[in-house]
Amino acid sequence: MKHFLAAICAVGFFLHPINKCTVSTSEFHLEGDYVLGGLFDVHSVNVPSHQNRPELLISCESDPFNKTFLLPNYRRFQLMRFAVEEINNSTILLPNVTLGYEVFDHCSDSLSFPGVFKLISVNGLIHPLSKPDKNVSRVIAVVGPFTSTQTLTIAPLFMMDLIPLVSYGSSGSIFSKKSEYPSFLRTVNPNNDTLDAIVNILQHFRWRWVAFLNSDNDFGVDGLQLFQKRIQHTEICLAYSEGLNENTDYSQMFKQIEEQNINIIVIFAPKLYAEAAIKAAIQLNVTNKVWIADDGWSLNKRLPKMKGIQNIGTVVGVTQPAIRIPGFNEFLYSSKNHAAFTKVAQQVFCNQDCNCSDLLVEDIIAADPSFSFPVHSAVYAIAHALHNTLQCGAGSCNNSITVHPYMVLEELKKSNFTLLNQSVQFDEHGDPKFRSFSIVFWNRSNDAEEVGFHQFEPTAHFYINDSKIQWFTNGEAPTAFCSLECSAGYAKKQSGIHKCCFSCEICPAETYINTTEDPFKCLSCKETEWSGEGSTSCNLRQVEFIPFFDSGAIVIMFFTWVLMGLTLSISVLFAINYDTPIVRSAGGPMCFLILACLGLCSVSVFFYFGKPTSASCIVRHFPFILFYTVCLACFVVRSFQIVCIFKIAAKYPKLQNWWSKYHGQWLLIAIAFVTQALLLIISLSLDLPRPYNETSWQQEQIVLGCYLNLQATSCSLILLLLLCCLCFVFSYMGKDLPKNYNEAKVITFCLLLLILTWILFSTVYLLYFGKYIQTINALAVLLSLYTFLLWYFLPKCYIIVFEPHKNTQQYFQGLIQNYTKTISQ
């Protein structure tokens, strides 16, 4: 904006003298029915920094400062002249219509305005706020300027009246914004494309640690920003960046690059800055680097021939495809011969002081050919747009149409023609659709040799022939890392601000590293997978559980059926001998309750096998806990009754009377049953038993089991333990009862076996990790049932069947009388 304001302020100062001068013959001027403007920086004016002020504007033909002649730009200017002449000689494009041009040397990025004012003026005046119909300029479009800063400076002057500005070199990304630059188009690839190609080169060779040197102007700053954005989600790290200008301290810059061990240097800058950087590298003996050139200097003709260039390393670059323009060389020879014949006032013209009359045609032909096709296609695009605006047909155009620049602009946007086998079109941003790059490297013959390409349209395609590149290492491509890549199975741990600088840490077991997804993080395996230390993938765990056809399961289920059969048989035997002393001493009707609970408990054993489900996990635990509680409550009652008969009854007769009157045994059993049932219901509501995948026991396996929340069921287990302790205390109190009457001793022995069974199971559970823990658990449950069945009930069955004389009332009364006499004595 500051450049634009300065330009407006200086309009009146410069416009008048420009309008005075006319010269009949000039390379920079050609009469025609319609005039094209041209802005080419044939010279570069060196303005001292202390005089570089917005109010100081310069005229390129009379500036007081030093001027540098730029041969490549002069060559591009000649390309425009050639294209216009070729179109004027055509009978197909713009028949009977001649194109003229008014070209100005735009010798400064921000201080050169006379040529611009000339192009937008009408009769020596500028009316920026007038309607297009009132401001008809003969200039229908402008080719140029070359640099992004030049365009930023003068573009607003052309945007006001929608004069098409077709640039052949301004690649800044900002010009794609049509809201700010509605009449700007370009035939050169935007910076986005250039940096895409450069980043693809870096990724192709796996270069991670790079420096980026950009010109300290609009073009370079835009490139730096785009580069930083482009590498944001890649493995490339910007280790160092520097803006190049006239005051750059190259010694300090290269010293910092060496200190950081940077081997890849991207130079994204115009030719003058790139040449200065490379010359400094040669002088400072900077060696063994890879230099990546943008399209502004990758085809430079002077640098490859410079002494010592081979020592700096290898230069790889991107460039516009080298398209040969037929007839251009012949035009140059013809043009120079004509200029020598019609030499006018030492080639001093009103709008240009060329001083190039002694320039050899061979020098022009050999100059940097970059941006040749963009200049050529820019002129032809305008010509085709004018052709369509004038409704030209076979051999004629409609000359009655008053052509305004905005009309040409509309047709320019619709451009669709073929030029030198290249399709010329613009997208909605005014950028070319015919975008592609050649990948080149500077070979040992000092030529830019094509080794690959990057195509954007119609589909993106990138290719480099590595074998063609002659590296300074004389072999494989150089490497560029801050840190060496981690070995397989190791994750990166970032050191400092750069993700390319890291240490390596091995991934622990049960994790893995996926470098394509996230090289900085060890990812956890799924529950169904496992991995060892330093793994790059997870292995599927083998699912383990005890099937019904397992040999151990078959044996346990067989003995469970045996237990159920024995329980039923004993129940029948006891029912037949219900009125006998043995049955009554065993508990009478309570025996049937105990046997029924043992049978119901045995059902749980079957659910320890097969694939666990929610239902099987509930049935596995809760029926056993509930009905085994009833069994223990019955034995507590039996133990208490035995002690009561032989010991307590004599000392506390009232207690025995109360116990008998209110059926204390059944009351205690009912209380135990109801309490346990309530506790189990509460634990179910808190946390249901459910299938559980045990993955901590063995890496390679998933053991399917049932999860039982011990906290939720702790009260139920405490109740079981309490009943067991009471039973043991009461039965132990009867250890000195008659020898032939061993009821209490049997219960004590059964309890000791029960306790030993679960101690053994707990020990195994703590020491063994595997699927057979389910089998061991089922065995512990079955042994708990057999403990009472075998040692409490079977001896009584033996007496009933094989020793019936002991199953008499007289026998039992004799035992009791003998014990009573012993106590009384």
Side-chain angles (χ1 to χ4, degrees):
M1 180 59 70
K2 64 180 182 180
H3 302 319
F4 177 63
L5 291 174
I8 295 300
C9 294
V11 169
F13 178 77
F14 278 105
L15 194 57
H16 183 66
I18 289 174
N19 199 41
K20 278 183 166 184
C21 184
T22 58
V23 175
S24 59
T25 305
S26 170
E27 285 186 317
F28 296 85
H29 173 81
L30 179 68
E31 291 292 338
D33 298 327
Y34 297 93
V35 177
L36 303 184
L39 296 173
F40 293 84
D41 43 344
V42 179
H43 291 92
S44 175
V45 175
N46 300 317
V47 182
S49 58
H50 67 278
Q51 297 190 38
N52 192 358
R53 306 185 307 273
E55 64 272 17
L56 177 64
L57 304 181
I58 62 175
S59 176
C60 293
E61 72 273 9
S62 60
D63 68 271
F65 310 115
N66 294 327
K67 293 191 295 186
T68 302
F69 178 71
L70 304 176
L71 181 57
N73 290 354
Y74 180 74
R75 184 181 189 276
R76 293 167 195 139
F77 154 58
Q78 294 296 335
L79 272 165
M80 177 178 173
R81 295 183 62 233
F82 165 70
V84 171
E85 180 175 300
E86 198 173 43
I87 292 167
N88 286 338
N89 292 332
S90 171
T91 57
I92 298 174
L93 184 60
L94 292 175
N96 297 327
V97 173
T98 59
L99 285 181
Y101 52 75
E102 193 75 36
V103 181
F104 291 89
D105 182 3
H106 201 69
C107 60
S108 171
D109 282 347
S110 58
L111 302 178
S112 177
F113 283 95
V116 175
F117 297 144
K118 175 69 174 178
L119 293 177
I120 64 174
S121 66
V122 179
N123 298 323
L125 298 175
I126 296 177
H127 304 282
L129 300 179
S130 64
K131 296 181 180 179
D133 292 339
K134 304 295 184 181
N135 190 19
V136 181
S137 171
R138 292 179 66 225
V139 176
I140 58 169
V142 177
V143 176
F146 181 50
T147 71
S148 295
T149 301
Q150 290 170 349
T151 303
L152 284 169
T153 304
I154 59 102
L157 298 171
F158 294 96
M159 300 301 110
M160 292 185 298
D161 290 328
L162 295 180
I163 299 174
L165 195 64
V166 186
S167 176
Y168 54 88
S170 301
S171 55
S173 59
I174 192 172
F175 302 121
S176 296
K177 297 180 179 180
K178 292 300 100 180
S179 59
E180 298 182 30
Y181 300 94
S183 62
F184 176 87
L185 299 96
R186 55 184 158 196
T187 54
V188 67
N189 294 344
N191 284 344
N192 287 324
D193 294 347
T194 308
L195 290 165
D196 272 349
I198 290 174
V199 170
N200 281 336
I201 292 174
L202 296 175
Q203 292 179 318
H204 177 81
F205 292 109
R206 297 176 56 82
W207 291 329
R208 303 287 182 260
W209 194 237
V210 302
F212 193 90
L213 309 181
N214 58 284
S215 54
D216 193 12
N217 57 16
D218 300 287
F219 167 77
V221 172
D222 180 60
L224 175 61
Q225 293 173 349
L226 292 174
F227 183 75
Q228 290 173 324
K229 183 178 180 181
R230 179 65 176 77
I231 66 172
Q232 189 173 4
H233 300 294
T234 69
E235 295 181 352
I236 300 169
C237 291
L238 179 57
Y240 179 82
S241 65
E242 181 69 25
L244 305 179
N245 53 46
E246 294 82 0
N247 302 316
T248 299
D249 185 346
Y250 289 103
S251 176
Q252 180 65 21
M253 182 183 76
F254 285 120
K255 181 181 178 182
Q256 292 176 350
I257 289 175
E258 287 293 344
E259 286 176 351
Q260 297 188 60
N261 195 28
I262 302 171
N263 294 326
I264 311 299
I265 302 175
V266 179
I267 300 184
F268 194 82
K271 172 187 172 184
L272 291 177
Y273 293 113
E275 285 184 350
I278 296 298
K279 288 177 182 177
I282 295 173
Q283 293 171 1
L284 295 170
N285 196 29
V286 177
T287 60
N288 299 336
K289 305 294 182 186
V290 175
W291 307 81
I292 300 181
D294 68 3
D295 53 348
W297 67 279
S298 57
L299 297 182
N300 192 291
K301 296 298 182 181
R302 288 167 47 183
L303 287 178
K305 297 177 175 61
M306 188 173 294
K307 184 179 179 180
I309 191 68
Q310 299 294 340
N311 297 330
I312 68 170
T314 303
V315 179
V316 179
V318 298
T319 182
Q320 309 284 336
I323 299 174
R324 181 178 175 275
I325 300 177
F328 177 58
N329 294 353
E330 291 78 4
F331 166 79
L332 288 176
Y333 282 110
S334 172
S335 176
K336 281 301 173 183
N337 291 334
H338 179 71
F341 179 74
T342 60
K343 187 174 182 180
V344 180
Q346 296 182 350
Q347 296 292 330
V348 178
F349 305 114
C350 190
N351 56 351
Q352 171 60 37
D353 180 7
C354 184
N355 292 330
C356 52
S357 58
D358 296 328
L359 191 64
L360 297 177
V361 174
E362 289 75 12
D363 294 335
I364 303 175
I365 294 173
D368 184 351
S370 302
F371 304 98
S372 296
F373 185 74
V375 173
H376 197 60
S377 58
V379 177
Y380 266 88
I382 296 171
H384 276 275
L386 180 61
H387 181 93
N388 294 332
T389 303
L390 292 173
Q391 301 174 1
C392 297
S396 65
C397 296
N398 187 354
N399 293 321
S400 64
I401 297 176
T402 302
V403 177
H404 296 283
Y406 71 87
M407 300 166 64
V408 178
L409 174 63
E410 291 303 315
E411 294 299 331
L412 263 172
K413 294 177 181 178
K414 304 174 188 176
S415 294
N416 188 0
F417 62 93
T418 300
L419 179 64
L420 301 179
N421 295 323
Q422 299 290 317
S423 176
V424 179
Q425 291 178 273
F426 299 97
D427 62 19
E428 66 275 12
H429 305 294
D431 297 331
K433 287 187 177 181
F434 48 100
R435 306 202 299 264
S436 64
F437 275 114
S438 294
I439 311 298
V440 298
F441 99 101
W442 293 2
N443 60 27
R444 292 170 184 173
S445 300
N446 301 325
D447 294 322
E449 179 181 347
E450 185 172 343
V451 295
F453 61 86
H454 187 187
Q455 179 180 304
F456 295 91
E457 296 288 345
T459 57
H461 187 49
F462 180 83
Y463 170 77
I464 292 182
N465 187 347
D466 298 6
S467 61
K468 286 188 175 183
I469 303 179
Q470 300 164 341
W471 301 106
F472 62 84
T473 52
N474 295 320
E476 296 293 326
T479 59
F481 299 102
C482 176
S483 301
L484 292 177
E485 286 297 310
C486 293
S487 302
Y490 285 78
K492 299 176 181 178
K493 183 178 181 182
Q494 185 170 324
S495 303
I497 62 172
H498 293 293
K499 59 189 176 186
C500 294
C501 303
F502 49 81
S503 57
C504 299
E505 293 183 352
I506 193 167
C507 287
E510 305 303 326
T511 66
Y512 71 101
I513 183 70
N514 185 342
T515 54
T516 58
E517 184 176 341
D518 188 353
F520 292 89
K521 185 178 181 182
C522 295
L523 305 174
S524 299
C525 292
K526 297 179 181 177
E527 188 180 14
T528 57
E529 298 174 336
W530 71 277
S531 70
E533 188 180 57
S535 296
T536 57
S537 62
C538 293
N539 304 309
L540 194 64
R541 292 179 186 266
Q542 184 178 355
V543 178
E544 296 285 354
F545 61 92
I546 305 298
F548 287 104
F549 51 80
D550 180 79
S551 57
I554 292 173
V555 171
I556 290 176
M557 288 189 292
F558 171 76
F559 280 101
T560 303
W561 284 111
V562 171
L563 183 141
M564 296 175 73
L566 287 175
T567 302
L568 182 61
S569 301
I570 293 171
S571 299
V572 172
L573 182 63
F574 273 38
I576 295 173
N577 297 276
Y578 182 74
D579 293 326
T580 62
I582 284 292
V583 174
R584 290 189 173 276
S585 67
M590 196 175 294
C591 292
F592 298 101
L593 178 60
I594 295 173
L595 290 168
C597 288
L598 290 176
L600 291 173
C601 286
S602 65
V603 175
S604 297
V605 176
F606 295 101
F607 293 92
Y608 279 91
F609 310 110
K611 189 174 183 178
T613 63
S614 298
S616 68
C617 287
I618 294 175
V619 180
R620 178 184 294 190
H621 296 292
F622 285 178
F624 174 76
I625 294 174
L626 179 62
F627 295 114
Y628 209 75
T629 298
V630 176
C631 287
L632 288 176
C634 291
F635 282 108
V636 167
V637 169
R638 290 295 303 130
S639 301
F640 178 76
Q641 286 178 328
I642 292 169
V643 175
C644 182
I645 290 171
F646 287 100
K647 292 187 175 183
I648 300 178
K651 297 181 180 181
Y652 306 102
K654 291 184 179 180
L655 179 61
Q656 184 184 17
N657 293 334
W658 182 92
W659 181 266
S660 302
K661 181 179 179 181
Y662 294 103
H663 304 286
Q665 69 272 27
W666 298 111
L667 183 62
L668 179 62
I669 293 170
I671 291 173
F673 175 77
V674 172
T675 303
Q676 188 65 281
L678 289 175
L679 292 175
L680 289 175
I681 291 172
I682 292 172
S683 66
L684 281 172
S685 63
L686 292 175
D687 194 357
L688 278 172
R690 58 185 181 274
Y692 171 67
N693 297 339
E694 178 55 66
T695 59
S696 61
W697 289 350
Q698 297 184 31
Q699 282 188 336
E700 303 88 351
Q701 296 179 352
I702 297 177
V703 178
L704 301 185
C706 288
Y707 169 75
L708 181 66
N709 191 329
L710 294 178
Q711 290 182 339
T713 57
S714 58
C715 293
S716 297
L717 299 176
I718 290 172
L719 179 59
L720 273 175
L721 185 62
L722 179 63
L723 291 173
C724 187
C725 291
L726 285 174
C727 184
F728 184 82
V729 169
F730 289 138
S731 62
Y732 185 78
M733 289 172 64
K735 68 181 186 303
D736 56 344
L737 292 177
K739 294 182 179 179
N740 292 329
Y741 190 83
N742 55 2
E743 193 82 10
K745 296 175 182 176
V746 169
I747 294 175
T748 303
F749 180 71
C750 290
L751 289 173
L752 288 174
L753 287 179
L754 177 66
I755 293 171
L756 179 62
T757 298
W758 286 102
I759 289 175
L760 288 174
F761 169 74
S762 300
T763 304
V764 172
Y765 186 85
L766 293 174
L767 298 177
Y768 170 73
F769 305 103
K771 66 177 182 178
Y772 289 105
I773 197 67
Q774 312 297 335
T775 303
I776 297 171
N777 198 347
L779 181 62
V781 171
L782 187 61
L783 290 177
S784 300
L785 303 178
Y786 267 107
T787 296
F788 289 110
L789 189 69
L790 293 178
W791 303 108
Y792 186 79
F793 286 104
L794 281 186
K796 294 173 176 53
C797 294
Y798 178 83
I799 292 173
I800 292 173
V801 176
F802 297 105
E803 296 182 352
H805 65 278
K806 293 183 179 180
N807 190 16
T808 60
Q809 190 71 28
Q810 295 81 1
Y811 182 80
F812 272 83
Q813 286 178 351
L815 292 175
I816 295 172
Q817 288 174 359
N818 292 333
Y819 179 74
T820 304
K821 289 178 182 180
T822 302
I823 295 298
S824 62
Q825 293 176 356

